[in-house]
């Protein structure tokens, strides 16, 4: 997949796909689903254990 | 016609003292800079910053803002000895900017090098975090641009451009480009509105914080086009375009495109090659609307009445750039330009077909794929704190905790620059700009360099009555090719200064030393 050349499809007024929900395309293969599952399993292992406290404590002063 | 020009990226990192949200971020940021400086044997009292040429209140439109009118946060040139500030051997500046540690990359000439030295900055910050972790609670750093609670901090791009180009042309053509660019380069964010008051997901970290079309400010009333005119170079020849609208990237492709496509559009503006007007109506509102629609179906309304999506508008810019490159390069663009054009069309193609196809190349898509996975698996709503935690931890600089780093290590992000090249760039300057001279002097003669800035290096050599200031107002001089033998051949700084003085009449530059002011 990386770097492969693409033939440009019709670009103007492409058919509205997937309505409003930014979900993975309906055509998502089971391979893609298991890829995401693998990522989630990995992230589960390192995600801040108390998400609520972590998010609440992430307070910044504005910068540029 | 090329993507090549003098450019660089400056990034303010989010900073957290674990378990202590009330900790003073300026003190913590100073700790970051000093911890890194100590780890590299840099004494902050030496190698400090030379502010002689800084003029942050100069406006590209041709007037100065009075200091009395300026918000204190705009006064970046006031020297405060309590603020840590060092120059690194790779030519970068590491310092405390407001309440954040900032890494300003050395000047580079290609988008690929910009990615390399930007990622080197992440390793600098990671090293500081590791050092500080030895004294709990330590400090954690995040390469992102908002806390989701109303505060934003910047990732700025800088492009050296011709002074002869009317600034009005820059505003006219770059405004619509920047409104649309976020769909290729945004880093994604959980929450809509500056303080995330509406649950949801949006494309860019920064977009909600932009309120006006053109202006000098960077910390309030942020403008799509920033007019700061502080070239750090020969002012009647060059302008430094200071771009404040971008997000910090982890995806190499998005980062490459951020710099590369902007440089190409700028090249067309400089050549006056954009004959038609792609201006959009209500640019600020449109910027927000595009960011709020990850389906990419939102239509932009052009000044001439045409309506198209952001991807389609970017195709308009792409096609003009591709034709321009083809025309000017005789069909044989340099490799850096060819690489940018390849990824530009590839990413637009994927975004136009199904945005999720660009999850290896574009940060906001990669992040959304993970968040959607959680939403599906665990039935989370957009206001679930775990989704917000994923959003923040995405940009943690630590290799084991940062989710973007985990994805890259697992081969799930397209990596353009290998880790070894990034590691080398932590110490080594780019060879083809004045950053080479700056970095090499700090590497070879750390005891003798008392200060440096983008356009000068100041030496204190034994026996000299005054400090010696070497001006570097030409960013493409002071390269390894021009002065490498001189610098490497000099046994000490005094010898180097003598050698430079004898070649000052040649175009080798840096020009011979002047007495410091």
């Amino acid at each position: 997949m990386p770097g492969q050349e693409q033939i440009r499809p019709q670009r103007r007024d492409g058919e509205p796909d997937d309505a409003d929900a930014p979900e993975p395309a309906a055509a998502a293969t089971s391979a893609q689903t298991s890829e995401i599952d693998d990522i989630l399993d990995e992230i589960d292992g390192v995600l801040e254990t108390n998400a609520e406290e972590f998010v609440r404590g992430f307070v910044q002063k504005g910068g540029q | 016609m090329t993507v090549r020009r003098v450019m660089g990226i400056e990034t303010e990192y989010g900073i957290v003292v674990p378990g202590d949200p009330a900790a003073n971020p300026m003190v913590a940021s100073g700790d970051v800079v000093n911890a890194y400086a100590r780890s590299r044997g840099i004494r902050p009292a030496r190698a400090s910053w030379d502010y002689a040429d800084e003029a942050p209140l100069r406006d590209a439109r041709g007037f100065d803002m009075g200091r009395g009118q300026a918000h204190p946060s705009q006064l970046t040139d006031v020297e405060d000895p309590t603020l840590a500030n060092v120059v690194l051997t790779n030519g970068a500046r590491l310092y405390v900017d407001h309440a954040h540690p900032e890494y300003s990359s050395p000047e580079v000439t290609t988008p690929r090098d910009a990615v390399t030295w930007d990622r080197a900055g992440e390793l600098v910050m990671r090293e500081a975090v590791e050092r500080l972790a030895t004294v709990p609670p330590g400090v954690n750093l995040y390469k992102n641009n908002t806390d989701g609670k109303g505060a934003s901090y910047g990732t700025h791009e800088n492009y050296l451009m011709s002074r002869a180009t009317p600034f009005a042309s820059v505003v006219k053509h770059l405004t619509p480009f920047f409104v649309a660019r976020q769909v290729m380069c945004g880093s994604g964010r959980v929450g809509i509105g500056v303080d995330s008051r509406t649950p949801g997901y949006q494309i860019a970290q920064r977009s909600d914080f932009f309120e006006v079309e053109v202006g000098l400010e960077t910390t309030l009333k942020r403008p799509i086009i920033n007019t700061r005119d502080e070239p750090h170079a020969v002012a009647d020849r060059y302008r430094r375009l200071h771009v404040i609208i971008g997000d910090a990237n982890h995806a190499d492709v998005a980062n490459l495109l951020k710099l590369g496509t902007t440089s190409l559009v700028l090249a067309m503006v400089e050549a006056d090659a954009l004959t038609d007007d792609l201006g959009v109506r209500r640019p600020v509102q449109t910027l927000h609307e595009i960011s709020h629609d990850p389906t990419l179906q939102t239509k932009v309304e052009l000044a001439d009445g045409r309506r198209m999506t952001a991807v389609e508008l970017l195709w308009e810019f792409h096609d003009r750039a591709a034709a321009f490159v083809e025309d000017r390069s005789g069909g044989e663009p340099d490799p850096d330009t060819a690489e940018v054009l390849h990824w530009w069309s590839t990413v637009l193609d994927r975004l136009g077909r199904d945005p999720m196809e660009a999850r290896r190349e574009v940060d906001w898509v990669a992040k959304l794929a993970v968040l959607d996975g959680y939403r599906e698996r665990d039935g989370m709503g957009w206001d679930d704190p775990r989704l917000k935690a994923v959003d923040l931890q995405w940009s943690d600089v630590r290799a084991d905790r940062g989710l973007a780093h985990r994805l890259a290590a697992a081969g799930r992000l397209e990596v353009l620059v290998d880790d070894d090249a990034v590691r080398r760039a932590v110490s080594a300057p780019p060879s083809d700009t004045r950053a080479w001279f700056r970095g090499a002097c700090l590497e070879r003669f750390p005891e003798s360099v008392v200060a440096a800035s983008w356009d000068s290096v100041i030496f204190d050599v034994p026996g000299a009555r005054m400090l010696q200031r070497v001006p570097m107002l030409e960013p493409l001089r002071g390269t390894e090719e021009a002065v490498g033998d001189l610098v490497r051949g000099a046994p000490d700084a005094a010898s180097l200064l003598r050698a430079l003085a004898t070649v000052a009449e040649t175009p080798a530059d840096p020009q011979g030393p002047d007495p410091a002011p």
Side-chain angles (χ1 to χ4, degrees), chain B residues 218-275:
Chain B
T218 55
T219 57
L220 36 97
K221 283 193 299 176
R222 292 185 183 87
I224 294 172
I225 304 287
N226 182 242
T227 56
R228 181 183 291 184
D229 188 3
E230 196 185 1
H232 302 312
V234 180
D236 54 8
R237 197 174 303 162
Y238 305 113
R239 182 192 301 284
R240 175 178 62 115
L241 184 70
H242 187 232
V243 175
I244 68 169
I245 199 170
D247 286 354
N249 290 108
H250 290 89
D252 280 0
V253 173
N255 212 4
L256 182 93
L257 287 176
K258 184 171 69 180
L259 278 290
T261 63
T262 304
S263 184
L264 279 177
V265 172
L266 205 48
M268 290 192 287
V269 172
E270 287 173 311
D272 206 16
L274 288 168
T275 49

Side-chain angles (χ1 to χ4, degrees), chain B residues 459-492:
Chain B
F459 293 87
D460 182 6
V461 295
R465 283 183 298 113
M466 285 182 288
L467 299 179
Q468 305 283 300
R469 185 171 196 268
V470 178
M472 296 188 295
L473 286 165
E474 284 291 346
L476 290 176
R477 293 185 181 175
T479 64
E480 182 175 18
E481 186 183 6
V483 296
D485 290 344
L486 272 185
V487 174
R488 279 187 290 260
D492 52 44

Side-chain angles (χ1 to χ4, degrees), chain A residues 1-2 6 8-9 11-13 17 20 22 25 35 39 42 44 46 48 55 58 60-61 63-64, chain B residues 12 15 97 100 147 149 152 154 206 218 295 312 349 354 360 372 374 377 393 401 406 412 414:
Chain A
M1 181 164 98
Q6 298 288 336
R8 189 188 306 173
R11 306 151 18 198
R12 321 269 178 229
D13 307 316
D17 51 358
D20 290 325
E35 178 189 315
I39 298 171
E42 187 175 337
D44 283 339
V46 298
E48 296 282 348
V55 170
F58 193 97
Q60 303 293 304
K61 281 213 189 312
Q64 298 214 49
Chain B
E12 298 175 350
I15 184 164
D97 195 358
H100 302 271
D147 62 1
K149 301 177 180 68
S152 183
R206 291 275 277 173
T218 55
T295 70
E312 287 163 347
D349 184 35
D354 170 4
R360 293 180 58 82
D372 274 342
Y374 271 101
R377 190 190 71 180
Q393 201 177 327
R401 305 301 294 267
R406 302 284 302 215
R412 302 186 193 281
E414 189 71 37

Side-chain angles (χ1 to χ4, degrees), chain B residues 184-201:
Chain B
M184 301 187 293
C185 308
S187 289
R189 176 182 162 201
V190 174
I192 313 285
V194 292
D195 57 0
S196 311
R197 66 181 52 189
T198 306
Y201 185 76

Side-chain angles (χ1 to χ4, degrees), chain B residues 151-429:
Chain B
S152 183
Y153 32 100
T155 298
H156 298 174
E157 306 137 59
N158 295 291
Y159 303 90
L160 198 71
M161 60 175 294
S162 167
R163 174 66 63 181
T165 303
F167 198 70
S169 300
V170 174
V171 173
K172 176 180 174 183
H173 297 294
L174 280 184
T175 300
F177 179 68
F178 285 158
V179 166
R181 188 183 72 159
Q182 56 184 325
V183 303
M184 301 187 293
C185 308
S187 289
R189 176 182 162 201
V190 174
I192 313 285
V194 292
D195 57 0
S196 311
R197 66 181 52 189
T198 306
Y201 185 76
Q202 63 174 311
I203 285 170
Q205 295 254 308
R206 291 275 277 173
S207 290
D208 281 349
F209 294 90
F210 282 71
E211 300 173 55
V212 299
E213 294 174 31
V214 183
L216 180 58
E217 281 85 2
T218 55
T219 57
L220 36 97
K221 283 193 299 176
R222 292 185 183 87
I224 294 172
I225 304 287
N226 182 242
T227 56
R228 181 183 291 184
D229 188 3
E230 196 185 1
H232 302 312
V234 180
D236 54 8
R237 197 174 303 162
Y238 305 113
R239 182 192 301 284
R240 175 178 62 115
L241 184 70
H242 187 232
V243 175
I244 68 169
I245 199 170
D247 286 354
N249 290 108
H250 290 89
D252 280 0
V253 173
N255 212 4
L256 182 93
L257 287 176
K258 184 171 69 180
L259 278 290
T261 63
T262 304
S263 184
L264 279 177
V265 172
L266 205 48
M268 290 192 287
V269 172
E270 287 173 311
D272 206 16
L274 288 168
T275 49
D276 57 346
D277 187 357
L278 295 171
V280 300
R281 292 186 179 159
R282 299 177 300 277
V284 174
Q285 184 187 331
T286 306
L287 176 78
H288 299 168
E289 288 168 359
I290 290 173
S291 185
H292 298 173
D293 175 22
T295 70
L296 303 184
Q297 297 306 305
T298 292
K299 298 278 189 184
V300 176
E301 191 177 344
L302 269 57
D304 63 11
R306 280 184 289 166
R307 288 165 55 82
M308 59 180 71
T309 65
V311 170
E312 287 163 347
L313 180 54
L314 290 172
W315 273 122
E316 296 285 334
F317 280 101
H318 168 275
D319 291 352
R320 284 162 179 72
F324 191 56
V325 167
E326 172 78 16
D327 179 52
R328 300 292 173 104
S329 68
E332 290 186 9
D334 60 78
D336 292 299
T337 305
E339 180 179 39
V340 167
L341 284 172
H342 161 73
W343 282 115
W344 195 353
S345 60
T346 301
V347 166
L348 288 183
D349 184 35
R350 291 182 184 163
L351 290 173
R353 204 164 40 218
D354 170 4
M356 299 317 291
E357 284 188 26
R359 66 190 179 283
R360 293 180 58 82
E361 291 85 21
V362 176
D363 300 75
W364 74 263
V365 182
K367 189 187 282 182
L368 180 57
V370 168
L371 293 166
D372 274 342
Y374 271 101
R375 278 154 43 81
E376 203 156 295
R377 190 190 71 180
D378 299 344
M380 296 181 191
W382 280 116
D383 53 356
D384 192 303
R386 283 169 296 172
L387 294 186
K388 295 182 181 180
V390 168
D391 185 12
L392 296 172
Q393 201 177 327
W394 186 266
S395 59
D396 191 318
V397 301
R398 293 173 293 179
D400 56 338
R401 305 301 294 267
L403 305 185
H405 295 301
R406 302 284 302 215
L407 254 62
R412 302 186 193 281
L413 288 178
E414 189 71 37
V415 175
L416 299 181
V417 179
D418 67 59
D419 290 346
D420 285 342
V422 175
R423 266 191 293 275
R424 282 193 298 276
V426 170
S427 309

Side-chain angles (χ1 to χ4, degrees), chain A residues 23-47:
Chain A
E23 300 291 337
T29 61
S30 59
Q32 187 174 322
T33 306
S34 86
E35 178 189 315
I36 285 289
D37 286 344
D38 290 348
I39 298 171
L40 298 188
D41 289 345
E42 187 175 337
I43 293 176
D44 283 339
V46 298
L47 201 59

